[in-house]
Amino acid sequence: VVELALDMKNLKKLVAAMQKQATVRGPKTDRSGVALADVGANGEMALDYANFQLPLKREFFPQCEVIYGTGPDRNPVAKEPSTEPVIIFGARPCDAQSIDYLDKVMSDERSTDPYYQKRRDAAIIITLACDSPAATCFCTSLGGGPASTVGADVICFNLGTSLIFESVSAKGETFLKKNEKLFRTPTEKEVDTRKKLESDSEKKLSKIPVSGTPDSLKSKNDPAFWEALSETCLSCGACTYLCPTCHCFDFFEENVADGALKVRVHDACMFESFVKEASGHNPRANKRDRMRQRIMHKFSYTHDNFGKIFCVGCGRCIVNCPSTIDIRETVAKVNS
Ligand code: SF4
Ligand code: SF4
């Protein structure tokens, strides 16, 4: 592991160096709070936020992307994503963990999603360890933590007047070595402060019992249980769109002036139309069954298929559900 320190006053110099190597995406203030965006030539970034409103998955699996287009000759032309290098700075550790999970879905020995994979291969993820987790964060219940390194290439700790950078992957180590002239060796005090930041943040996080959920779900077959859980759900899909691990998508075709486009868009199992068949039959016509599907997929099916519960405890679905449905309470009810 390469561990280096950077004086805060030199952060813009590091950004300038990174911008010579890649497109730099970082935390920028916007109307949603702080969001990942291209960092401008001035190197300005916001460093005070709990998490982004929108999940990191969108950097690799956009909400809407053209897969194929046709020219005037009507022949299909693949619209390949850019393979230009990208450095993503400031993602939170829970979001990096979600990318580690999505990697398992998007590529295995049978097939690879080339659109996702090309972006993944071109990216370096530098996470920013959490110093002020939100009241709705519960990553430590799911194997994560404010300084978890799963899915990251480099992890960075904000100590106020300086930053500590630690390599996680070989890609991250190469990145730090390439830029090592800008860094210095951390002082003992900085190493202690970095450890304290991690333990203080962990203490702020609520912990809920999750590990037994895959087994508990196997016996939750009473429709009345799911009816009660989904009673106030509006089927709006916010929980799935904003979830960093949800990955269902749909395609549609669109006619344009000089041909047609095939477009991939995120989809949501909480929508009434999600599995509606062309005949009009809908196997999950009521929200009771859709709620069950969402919870089963996250806490049981992915556990069976990938050995992971596909929730990283980011809390986005809690913050953004218009009906104040709290997944921590759902899990508690499943386990009661
Ligand atoms: S289920 Fe909710 S808390 Fe868990 S990862 Fe998805 S949005 Fe975050
Ligand atoms: S955000 Fe809340 S209301 Fe909307 S679909 Fe999810 S659980 Fe239902």
Side-chain angles (χ1 to χ4, degrees), residues 7-8 24-25 45 52 69 103 106 123 181 203 207 228 241 249 256 265 274 304 308:
D7 290 319
M8 190 59 90
V24 180
R25 305 271 294 158
M45 293 192 292
F52 308 129
D103 287 348
M106 299 296 195
K181 273 195 288 187
K203 283 182 207 139
K207 203 144 188 179
Y241 273 108
F249 57 83
V256 289
V265 286
F274 183 68
D304 290 347
K308 300 282 179 197

Side-chain angles (χ1 to χ4, degrees), residues 294-330:
R294 172 168 170 253
I295 301 301
M296 290 296 287
H297 193 187
K298 291 205 153 301
F299 290 87
S300 178
Y301 305 147
T302 49
H303 189 261
D304 290 347
N305 292 336
F306 305 106
K308 300 282 179 197
I309 288 173
F310 265 42
C311 169
V312 291
C314 73
R316 285 189 180 89
C317 59
I318 304 166
V319 175
N320 295 289
C321 174
S323 290
T324 66
I325 293 172
D326 186 329
I327 198 155
R328 294 169 299 183
E329 290 167 13
T330 303

Side-chain angles (χ1 to χ4, degrees), residues 232-240 270 291 294 317 320-325:
T232 58
C233 174
L234 303 171
S235 302
C236 70
C239 51
T240 44
M270 299 301 263
M291 178 67 82
R294 172 168 170 253
C317 59
N320 295 289
C321 174
S323 290
T324 66
I325 293 172

Side-chain angles (χ1 to χ4, degrees), residues 123-293:
I124 293 175
I125 300 177
I126 305 175
T127 51
L128 192 56
C130 297
D131 47 14
S132 307
T136 44
C137 294
F138 59 109
C139 58
T140 50
S141 307
L142 290 138
S148 164
T149 55
V150 177
D153 295 304
V154 175
I155 182 163
C156 174
F157 296 83
N158 180 0
L159 308 186
T161 54
S162 64
L163 299 147
I164 301 284
F165 288 75
E166 289 173 11
S167 66
V168 178
S169 69
K171 214 192 236 184
E173 191 168 325
T174 306
F175 165 79
L176 287 181
K177 284 186 175 159
K178 193 169 175 182
N179 296 286
E180 70 188 342
K181 273 195 288 187
L182 292 164
F183 295 95
R184 58 174 171 76
T185 306
T187 63
E188 258 177 54
K189 189 165 174 238
E190 283 174 326
V191 173
D192 289 346
T193 311
R194 169 245 177 275
K195 283 186 193 143
K196 191 167 176 323
L197 183 152
E198 183 175 354
S199 59
D200 286 353
S201 294
E202 270 176 16
K203 283 182 207 139
K204 292 179 197 158
L205 287 154
S206 54
K207 203 144 188 179
I208 58 162
V210 175
S211 59
T213 314
D215 281 342
S216 303
L217 278 169
K218 291 196 166 59
S219 55
K220 289 288 174 197
N221 297 320
D222 179 5
F225 175 80
W226 296 103
E227 196 86 53
L229 268 184
S230 60
E231 197 176 3
T232 58
C233 174
L234 303 171
S235 302
C236 70
C239 51
T240 44
Y241 273 108
L242 294 172
C243 179
T245 68
C246 279
H247 50 269
C248 290
F249 57 83
D250 197 2
F251 289 104
F252 69 85
E253 283 90 35
E254 189 174 332
N255 284 322
V256 289
D258 62 349
L261 303 175
K262 189 165 190 84
V263 186
R264 172 159 79 169
V265 286
H266 290 185
D267 203 351
C269 59
M270 299 301 263
F271 289 157
E272 194 265 343
S273 60
F274 183 68
V275 285
K276 194 170 181 183
E277 295 164 11
S279 67
H281 171 64
N282 191 340
R284 289 201 290 272
N286 58 58
K287 55 189 183 174
R288 171 196 73 198
D289 295 341
R290 296 196 289 275
M291 178 67 82
R292 180 177 179 277
Q293 163 64 24

